[in-house]
Amino acid sequence: EPEVTQTPSHQVTQMGQEVILRCVPISNHLYFYWYRQILGQKVEFLVSFYNNEISEKSEIFDDQFSVERPDGSNFTLKIRSTKLEDSAMYFCASSLTKPQHFGDGTRLSIL
Amino acid sequence: GDSVTQMEGPVTLSEEAFLTINCTYTATGYPSLFWYVQYPGEGLQLLLKATKADDKGSNKGFEATYRKETTSFHLEKGSVQVSDSAVYFCALSPLEGGNQFYFGTGTSLTVIP
């Protein structure tokens, strides 16, 4: 069964550094998403992407965040200048309609 | 706004016990409802779904019925196994508007032999 794949599985970064989280969605999907889960808290929506542009974003998704689909297969989340509170598990998801299919996540640790 | 409220855990059960994890929702209109499962060290996997009132989603012995009158989507399994130990998330997707999902806080289940 096709899967959403995310790399790396764990990223450790110094505060203030830029970080790029990578995702390869399921190949025929059209909608792409990023969510995050701070340890012990609920999964929170960050952004959705369709037709090469952001279709929705939450209040969490401020100017420090950006997304890109640089080619036909990758979908990336960039955090420009990381803060301690960005430490979380970040999930990529994709869908054709509903439901969304999730990757295994990238654990981001900010030191 | 749209939201999901889930029974707080953690839940610990003996093997073959009956499981119920409560989930209620707040939404305008008729959302789709989902249960996702997260096994240790893994991502979110779709467990089951229901898209309209009175629909019953089922998978791997788990069931949940979309109850509009009580705005609930409780997860049940008649006989849990050790391999069911995981965190379970209830989620909704609004009928209209965007495609984002709203998740509950998750309920951790541990099944002991």
Side-chain angles (χ1 to χ4, degrees):
Chain A
E1 186 175 324
E3 291 181 344
V4 175
T5 56
Q6 288 186 244
T7 55
S9 56
H10 191 191
Q11 174 82 45
V12 181
T13 301
Q14 292 286 335
M15 187 172 60
Q17 296 296 304
E18 174 184 286
V19 67
I20 297 176
L21 309 182
R22 302 181 191 280
C23 170
V24 178
I26 294 173
S27 62
N28 65 333
H29 284 185
L30 301 177
Y31 297 86
F32 313 109
Y33 313 84
W34 283 101
Y35 290 80
R36 80 172 184 193
Q37 183 184 24
I38 295 171
L39 187 64
Q41 299 185 24
K42 64 169 64 178
V43 177
E44 302 171 291
F45 170 77
L46 293 178
V47 65
S48 62
F49 193 85
Y50 172 72
N51 202 26
N52 286 320
E53 60 184 25
I54 291 173
S55 50
E56 275 186 280
K57 60 182 182 178
S58 70
E59 291 177 354
I60 302 167
F61 194 86
D62 61 22
D63 291 345
Q64 292 299 310
F65 291 89
S66 62
V67 289
E68 206 175 37
R69 189 156 162 79
D71 52 43
S73 59
N74 290 285
F75 179 53
T76 62
L77 174 70
K78 182 194 290 186
I79 308 175
R80 258 181 272 285
S81 178
T82 50
K83 302 187 283 287
L84 291 175
E85 53 264 38
D86 293 327
S87 295
M89 181 76 93
Y90 288 81
F91 291 104
C92 173
S94 70
S95 68
L96 196 51
T97 53
K98 297 172 184 179
Q100 297 175 13
H101 297 259
F102 287 80
D104 285 347
T106 293
R107 181 167 298 285
L108 178 63
S109 300
I110 307 300
L111 304 179
Chain B
D2 296 344
S3 67
V4 171
T5 301
Q6 233 181 290
M7 165 180 154
E8 290 194 18
V11 174
T12 302
L13 294 174
S14 297
E15 209 165 19
E16 300 183 3
F18 185 86
L19 168 71
T20 300
I21 300 178
N22 289 339
C23 171
T24 56
Y25 67 89
T26 302
T28 52
Y30 300 88
S32 295
L33 300 173
F34 305 84
W35 277 99
Y36 281 82
V37 58
Q38 185 178 29
Y39 297 103
E42 298 184 16
L44 296 165
Q45 299 176 25
L46 177 67
L47 182 60
L48 53 83
K49 66 176 181 177
T51 57
K52 61 183 188 297
D54 299 326
D55 265 4
K56 178 186 282 188
S58 61
N59 186 24
K60 299 181 181 179
F62 291 89
E63 292 183 340
T65 301
Y66 188 146
R67 302 273 187 214
K68 187 173 186 311
E69 63 276 13
T70 54
T71 62
S72 65
F73 192 55
H74 304 322
L75 182 69
E76 295 182 337
K77 186 174 185 181
S79 176
V80 293
Q81 305 301 311
V82 172
S83 57
D84 294 327
S85 298
V87 181
Y88 293 82
F89 292 90
C90 186
L92 77 80
S93 178
L95 177 65
E96 296 178 1
N99 282 322
Q100 69 164 288
F101 274 33
Y102 295 87
F103 284 87
T105 51
T107 301
S108 174
L109 169 67
T110 300
V111 180
I112 54 178

